[in-house]
Amino acid sequence: MKEAKNELLEFLGGVAMLAVGLYWFSLNVRVSSTFFSGSLMLGSITIHNGLVIVPFIIAVILVFIKPESFGRKLFLGISVLLIIASIIYSTNFHLVSMSLFEWAGILILIFGGLALVCKILFKPVDKDKNKKENDKTTL
């Protein structure tokens, strides 16, 4: 006979493994940015990152001149999205060198924890068990 498993402990163990693995991975990633030295490509248009701020400044001035205009607020929103896109575009991620043991440990923790979490979350429902529980409650 199979021993009953405590699914909550298995789920929490998977979440803990996933969290530790992602934390360990984040310690080994270096992030750098070159915001004013790069350029953003939008189709065939090249926009240097320093010039991305110019539409934002114009939009802020226009919103202060006539704040109830929807078009000016839309222009301000688009210019803010353009600034955010250029920051994301100019961000670089570098994985630092590590031993094979560290890399294997990170992968085992991340994907093992993810597998345990998914095993509990996507477990098929046992219809016979639910039927027996419903029969007990109706008595």
Side-chain angles (χ1 to χ4, degrees):
M1 186 169 167
K2 247 185 173 178
E3 188 177 307
K5 295 180 182 177
N6 192 342
E7 293 176 353
L8 179 62
L9 284 177
E10 194 172 345
F11 178 77
L12 292 177
V15 169
M17 282 177 63
L18 184 61
V20 169
L22 289 174
Y23 176 72
W24 193 5
F25 179 73
S26 70
L27 290 177
N28 291 305
V29 174
R30 299 292 176 248
V31 180
S32 64
S33 180
T34 56
F35 182 66
F36 287 105
S37 65
S39 60
L40 180 66
M41 297 287 294
L42 295 175
S44 61
I45 301 171
T46 302
I47 302 172
H48 295 283
N49 284 341
L51 295 176
V52 174
I53 297 173
V54 174
F56 176 73
I57 294 170
I58 294 170
V60 168
I61 292 170
L62 291 175
V63 166
F64 275 102
I65 291 173
K66 193 171 183 184
E68 64 272 356
S69 174
F70 176 73
R72 293 176 181 174
K73 291 178 184 176
L74 181 66
F75 184 58
L76 179 65
I78 291 172
S79 63
V80 167
L81 287 177
L82 189 62
I83 290 171
I84 292 171
S86 66
I87 290 171
I88 291 171
Y89 182 75
S90 65
T91 302
N92 299 314
F93 296 95
H94 302 283
L95 191 62
V96 298
S97 62
M98 64 182 92
S99 69
L100 180 61
F101 179 75
E102 289 175 317
W103 184 240
I106 289 170
L107 292 178
I108 288 170
L109 285 171
I110 291 174
F111 292 108
L114 188 63
L116 286 174
V117 169
C118 289
K119 176 183 171 185
I120 300 301
L121 289 180
F122 301 115
K123 181 181 174 186
V125 178
D126 189 13
K127 294 179 183 179
D128 295 333
K129 184 178 179 181
N130 287 340
K131 185 177 179 185
K132 290 177 186 177
E133 287 177 3
N134 288 337
D135 292 340
K136 288 179 185 177
T137 57
T138 57
L139 293 178

